Amino acid sequence: MNIQKFLLIFSLLLGFGSVIDNFFPIPLLLFEYFLIIISLKQFGLRGYSAKYIVIFVVCIIISALMTSTSLTRYGSFFIRPIIAVAILSVFSYKYDEIKHYFYKNLRLIAWLSLVNFILVTIASPLFITQTSDSGYTVHTIGYVFNYIVTTERLGIEFTRNQGLFWEPGVLEILMNTLVFIELFEYKSKIKKTILPAIIVLTTASTSGYVVLFILFILYYLQRLHTANGLKKRFVIVSSSISSLLSLFPLVKEEVNYKFTTGVGSANKRQFDMIMGTKIAIDNPIFGIGPNKETYMGLSNSYNVYVGDDVTYDARANTNLFVSLFCYYGIPMALLFLIALYKQQIFINRKIYYLIIVVGLFSEPIAFVDLYFVWIMSGAYKSAQTSNSPYKTKFVQTTT
């Protein structure tokens, strides 16, 4: 294993909403850039990479001009596509290798998250309270093991598992991605998903539970579709009933909780969706520009009511997709979402896109280097060969 490539992917994952990124964003970014510099042998713009970058720049300039927004607020669109190309160049555009290191890092994060849940359950006094410059407060051990929220399900009180990340919803996205890779990319046996599935359940994330349940349904349907013989089909059906029935009560309880005891969280998501949609509808072509202050100012002019358990003070939107349409307008938002869908890292693009779409409906994580790596991979279709040293299935089952 190449340790530099492993650490490079790890730094990208830390940049995807980790507690470390919240407290030390500049050192983390410099660490990522250092790894790129020492690993990069040749910077290569392959396929339509140059066109992608030009399109980004043109969209930025048009958006800035039409919304009277400073170009400095579009820094991600200027810098991150180029950084993404540099990262792809480090791996020589070998997407199976990128996926391999991504997978290895996710397995590490899964084990760290299991340790995190054990520590917060039996050794919470070891955690100290820290507050970042942005006002984010967390109980932590070295910014690696973290917790914030305690909750209750089925009469059991426990602390929601967030692992390395600032919120449990981020951890569930990555753990469901690990389940996805095991089942649909690497065609592993279902026992390989036990660890990440357990981690998803410890997050007490409604979207995480629903996505995990859907992934298992799709997995069993796919196996049933390709199974030969009545006996094998019977075994698959029996196994699916056993697995899904064990998960269903937990999913049902989580959904019920979200609309009863935890209705405040559901109402907050609903409020953000409605408020952002109203602003987007009134600014459909160019949006309002990537300016949170402008958004919060405009939100005061709309009357949105979703319930009593919501703070109606002006705040930033937590729904990534609504924010895209609100800030950048319909054309640019669609362009971003289509580009993300066209990524070439994962073979089963529709299923992976489901994980991202559902997860990011409640997580405002958009413009980070990790996603621009996926987006820029869509500009060049790498030819993967059957003699690859990495664990990859090359038969595309779902596009």
Side-chain angles (χ1 to χ4, degrees), residues 190 212-221 236-252:
I190 199 165
L212 181 65
F213 193 69
I214 293 174
L215 287 176
F216 280 123
I217 290 176
L218 293 175
Y219 165 71
Y220 283 114
L221 287 176
I236 293 171
V237 171
S238 300
S239 176
S240 66
I241 292 174
S242 175
S243 299
L244 295 176
L245 284 181
S246 64
L247 273 178
F248 182 75
L250 298 175
V251 177
K252 181 181 178 182

Side-chain angles (χ1 to χ4, degrees), residues 59-60 62-67 74 277-289 324-335:
C59 288
I60 289 166
I62 293 174
S63 177
L65 290 175
M66 299 307 298
T67 61
Y74 296 86
T277 300
K278 285 180 175 289
I279 295 176
I281 289 174
D282 289 343
N283 302 271
I285 306 302
F286 302 107
I288 62 174
L324 280 172
F325 286 94
C326 182
Y327 289 147
Y328 301 101
I330 294 174
M332 192 171 174
L334 288 176
L335 183 65

Side-chain angles (χ1 to χ4, degrees), residues 68-95:
S68 300
T69 304
S70 171
L71 282 173
T72 59
R73 292 185 177 271
Y74 296 86
S76 290
F77 279 107
F78 276 118
I79 300 172
R80 296 192 194 278
I82 298 173
I83 296 299
V85 170
I87 293 169
L88 293 174
S89 298
V90 167
F91 289 89
S92 301
Y93 286 82
K94 295 177 181 177
Y95 299 147

